[in-house]
Amino acid sequence: MRLVATFAVAVILIYMLSFQVNELAVYLFNVIDALVHMLNELVQLVGDESVAQEVLGELLGDGAVLLQLLNANRLDLLIRTYVAVKASFFVSQGLALATSLLMMALAVVAFRNDMLSVYRGDYSKIPRVDASSNGSLMVGSLHYSGYQIAYVLWGFIIHWLFLFLLCIIVSVAVVWSFLFKVVLYFLDSSWPAIVLAVVLFVLQTLVGRYVFLQEGKLALNNRRFYFNLLYFMFFYNILLGFVSCLLRILKGAIIGVTFLSRLDQCSMPRRFEMWDPGFSAYVGFVHIENAHTNPCLVVFCHLLTESARGRQQSQLQQVSVVSSPSASKEWKRTRNRFQVAVLLAAHPELVFRRKRYLASKRKPTDEEIEGHEQRGTRL
């Protein structure tokens, strides 16, 4: 319930932020649209240079410089660039909103899976309880809701800015038609190095999978060929390492920006994961929830309380029965007879050792016969 309320507040705040920014953006775009309309009217006057010069002179003083800039081709390019930026703003906003909602949904699913794993005793993703002190876990649980909402908002803003910048670059490159030229220039100047790097990477991948493994197992085969290839590929792998380092930085930046709002995904290495304040708060929240909602623990405590309550009720019933003087003797007699019946049912041989049975089988003595005769004469 706490998790649902946290993400509900985050969604409301994202909506309010988007609404406020949209109001400001619509106002600015309306102003720019009015300026574009005015520029279109001025361009129509450029055909009559004397009229345009007179109008610009009245408005701006010497309008010769502006008159040279205001031609149909340049203005059309400027308008198309403005339309691209405007479209990029709204497209990036929609993509950022969709990404934030998707990340929140994935966070809920990840929390459910993490709780089930902790219930089973699987700590492959969540650090164990002894990795931090109990005080740190409790503080993390207190911080979780606020941290989650703040991280979601920051993630939405950064996603929006990043996607807005990316959309502007792509759209402006398409509008100005220089993207194709840049790609051709890059390929023309560096295609040998690119082809060599790709060939070496593919070659090492194929050889490593199909030549150096013994039947797919992690056992080295063709040892001489392996060491020769290792020697000759040493310098080429240094060049590939430079490119790989850049790709590592790029991948890390993209993954970090994408999963910024996910507190269940740590941004630190395994040994330093508790240095991440967001992930530390998430770990504390999971362990506190596990300590109070673990199904095995809840059922065990329920059975203990039910057993203790049952013993307490039976003791109260016994006390109430014993405390009644009229029913105490009858209750004791009934209890004793029941216990004797249970004992004889469990041990039938004790029947022959009972006092009544022995008395019925024993022959009367002379003293007992005389006593019976005396009682008969008295009667």
Side-chain angles (χ1 to χ4, degrees):
M1 190 64 185
R2 177 183 174 185
L3 189 71
V4 175
T6 299
F7 284 110
V9 173
V11 170
I12 294 173
L13 292 179
I14 288 177
Y15 170 76
M16 294 175 62
L17 178 62
S18 302
F19 183 77
Q20 295 293 332
V21 174
N22 269 338
E23 283 190 341
L24 180 60
V26 169
Y27 174 76
L28 292 177
F29 287 143
N30 290 333
V31 174
I32 296 175
D33 289 337
L35 293 176
V36 169
H37 180 69
M38 184 181 68
L39 288 176
N40 283 325
E41 292 182 352
L42 289 177
V43 167
Q44 294 176 1
L45 296 176
V46 171
D48 190 353
E49 185 175 350
S50 60
V51 178
Q53 185 72 30
E54 182 180 356
V55 173
L56 292 176
E58 294 178 357
L59 294 176
L60 302 174
D62 187 10
V65 178
L66 184 59
L67 183 62
Q68 295 176 359
L69 296 176
L70 288 178
N71 57 68
N73 294 330
R74 292 180 180 179
L75 183 61
D76 181 66
L77 181 61
L78 182 62
I79 292 175
R80 285 192 288 124
T81 303
Y82 162 69
V83 172
V85 172
K86 184 177 179 180
S88 299
F89 177 83
F90 292 106
V91 170
S92 61
Q93 182 186 19
L95 292 176
L97 183 60
T99 304
S100 299
L101 294 177
L102 178 62
M103 288 298 149
M104 285 188 282
L106 293 177
V108 174
V109 175
F111 172 75
R112 177 180 177 274
N113 294 332
D114 292 340
M115 290 300 300
L116 293 178
S117 299
V118 174
Y119 288 160
R120 295 192 301 266
D122 181 11
Y123 294 96
S124 58
K125 182 180 178 182
I126 301 298
R128 304 183 67 89
V129 181
D130 52 6
S132 301
S133 62
N134 295 333
S136 299
L137 295 176
M138 183 60 67
V139 171
S141 179
L142 293 175
H143 288 167
Y144 172 74
S145 296
Y147 278 20
Q148 183 65 76
I149 295 173
Y151 277 57
V152 168
L153 289 177
W154 268 117
F156 172 71
I157 295 172
I158 294 177
H159 287 172
W160 195 352
L161 295 177
F162 178 77
L163 292 172
F164 183 47
L165 180 62
L166 182 62
C167 291
I168 287 178
I169 293 174
V170 174
S171 60
V172 170
V174 173
V175 169
W176 288 3
S177 302
F178 70 88
L179 181 61
F180 185 69
K181 297 179 181 179
V182 171
V183 173
L184 287 180
Y185 176 78
F186 178 76
L187 293 177
D188 184 57
S189 60
S190 60
W191 70 266
I194 296 175
V195 172
L196 179 62
V198 172
V199 169
L200 292 177
F201 181 79
V202 174
L203 176 64
Q204 293 183 73
T205 302
L206 295 176
V207 171
R209 290 184 178 180
Y210 301 106
V211 177
F212 293 142
L213 292 179
Q214 297 181 7
E215 298 179 356
K217 299 180 181 179
L218 193 60
L220 184 60
N221 194 11
N222 300 318
R223 298 174 63 90
R224 293 184 179 179
F225 182 41
Y226 171 77
F227 289 115
N228 290 329
L229 185 64
L230 185 65
Y231 174 77
F232 286 106
M233 290 296 172
F234 175 73
F235 299 100
Y236 292 105
N237 285 329
I238 293 177
L239 300 177
L240 292 178
F242 282 109
V243 180
S244 177
C245 182
L246 297 178
L247 291 177
R248 182 182 184 183
I249 296 173
L250 180 62
K251 291 178 181 178
I254 293 175
I255 296 298
V257 171
T258 304
F259 292 93
L260 180 62
S261 60
R262 295 279 300 276
L263 295 188
D264 58 292
Q265 300 292 334
C266 183
S267 60
M268 301 288 182
R270 184 68 176 178
R271 295 183 179 180
F272 305 97
E273 57 190 2
M274 298 309 293
W275 288 14
D276 186 354
F279 184 73
S280 177
Y282 178 76
V283 170
F285 175 63
V286 169
H287 282 303
I288 294 299
E289 290 294 317
N290 176 51
H292 294 83
T293 62
N294 192 298
C296 298
L297 179 62
V298 171
V299 172
F300 177 72
C301 294
H302 177 72
L303 293 177
L304 285 181
T305 54
E306 290 295 327
S307 178
R309 188 180 295 110
R311 287 197 301 267
Q312 184 178 7
Q313 291 178 357
S314 62
Q315 292 176 0
L316 292 176
Q317 290 177 358
Q318 292 179 4
V319 170
S320 63
V321 171
V322 172
S323 61
S324 178
S326 60
S328 60
K329 293 182 179 181
E330 182 179 357
W331 180 82
K332 289 181 180 180
R333 188 182 301 110
T334 304
R335 184 193 63 184
N336 293 337
R337 289 178 180 177
F338 176 75
Q339 291 177 354
V340 170
V342 172
L343 180 63
L344 294 178
H347 304 281
E349 65 275 8
L350 296 179
V351 176
F352 304 102
R353 296 181 178 275
R354 295 193 66 195
K355 183 177 180 180
R356 291 183 180 179
Y357 181 81
L358 295 176
S360 62
K361 295 298 183 180
R362 184 171 57 85
K363 295 182 179 180
T365 58
D366 296 338
E367 296 179 355
E368 291 178 350
I369 294 173
E370 292 179 358
H372 284 296
E373 290 178 351
Q374 291 178 1
R375 286 196 296 272
T377 55
R378 291 176 182 176
L379 295 174

